[in-house]
Amino acid sequence: LESSLLTQPWASVCFGESAFLAKACFRDTGYILLISDLSSVWYESADTETVGQRSKELNKRLTVHVSSFLHRLCNLMCPLLAGQPDATTSFTCHHAADGLRLHVKSELSGLPFYWDFHCCPAPVEMVSRHLVRPLIQMSLALQYQVQKLTSLLLQKDAEIEDYRESGAALSRDRLRTEPFQEETFQQNFMDEVRSGAS
């Protein structure tokens, strides 16, 4: 399950009034859920035995197979993670001493359906694997991309200057651009980032 979770993208979601990043993976054998508020990371990994036991405690009137519960949970969580939450389903979260509780209220077969995700703090290795390493890899990839684009812009400026020196002129003056100044661009970019963060 966790290896499958690695291929799932993070999604921005709201549980009640709180904003989180979340990702999940559901299978017939259970599920795994990862949630972060960018200060802490919590997770729950539940097998069919855990799901069966908890479903009996929370939904005494429902007598359906565990696979049906897992299918229903998948149908509730996946649209939410895709930015298409079900209007008839509510999600609320509660911070507890031992982690985070995510309470789900919906319907199944015309009867009320309840579920609680019992999320505990994620171990350091899991946080590194799912959050820190991908972020660093993306940051490095973006830095490389910026370097390549900067190099390309400087080459283009040199090419344009060569045309000018050869006597070429623009047919439309509005297309004229100033030579690219890397230091000025970097400074302006950092100023925008700081002002956005504040």
Side-chain angles (χ1 to χ4, degrees):
L1 271 172
E2 195 188 338
S3 60
S4 297
L5 187 66
L6 277 170
T7 64
Q8 299 299 314
W10 285 95
S12 180
V13 295
C14 284
F15 298 133
E17 299 297 315
S18 304
F20 293 92
L21 290 176
K23 61 193 312 197
C25 184
F26 292 87
R27 295 284 185 272
D28 290 339
T29 54
Y31 67 78
I32 184 166
L33 172 69
L34 202 54
I35 301 175
S36 175
D37 60 0
L38 295 183
S39 292
S40 302
V41 182
W42 303 272
Y43 86 107
E44 182 183 35
S45 182
D47 58 16
T48 51
E49 186 178 343
T50 302
V51 172
Q53 182 62 38
R54 195 176 304 165
S55 64
K56 288 175 186 174
E57 294 169 4
L58 295 171
N59 302 279
K60 292 181 171 63
R61 294 169 64 192
L62 285 172
T63 53
V64 294
H65 195 269
V66 172
S67 61
S68 296
F69 268 96
L70 285 165
H71 187 67
R72 180 59 179 156
L73 285 172
C74 181
N75 286 343
L76 293 175
M77 289 298 293
C78 292
L80 177 74
L81 296 174
Q84 300 167 334
D86 181 355
T88 63
T89 303
S90 67
F91 294 86
T92 53
C93 72
H94 306 281
H95 290 271
D98 59 344
L100 187 80
R101 290 280 178 94
L102 178 60
H103 182 67
V104 185
K105 183 179 179 182
S106 186
E107 285 187 0
L108 179 61
S109 303
L111 293 171
F113 174 82
Y114 303 103
W115 190 258
D116 286 336
F117 291 98
H118 298 178
C119 301
C120 61
V124 174
E125 174 55 29
M126 180 180 265
V127 175
S128 175
R129 194 161 50 245
H130 289 273
L131 200 59
V132 178
R133 271 186 249 165
L135 283 173
I136 290 174
Q137 287 169 349
M138 181 56 69
S139 177
L140 290 172
L142 289 172
Q143 285 177 33
Y144 178 73
Q145 188 180 54
V146 167
Q147 288 170 359
K148 295 293 284 184
L149 288 171
T150 298
S151 175
L152 185 61
L153 279 170
L154 293 172
Q155 288 176 32
K156 289 289 183 186
D157 279 348
E159 183 180 341
I160 291 168
E161 186 58 31
D162 186 62
Y163 286 139
R164 282 197 186 122
E165 289 175 356
S166 301
L170 282 171
S171 59
R172 286 169 288 183
D173 202 56
R174 63 183 176 81
L175 295 176
R176 187 179 304 279
T177 58
E178 293 298 318
F180 179 69
Q181 301 290 335
E182 184 178 357
E183 286 186 15
T184 304
F185 173 80
Q186 294 283 8
Q187 186 59 51
N188 290 342
F189 178 77
M190 291 309 298
D191 290 344
E192 287 178 19
V193 169
R194 290 191 193 99
S195 62
S198 59

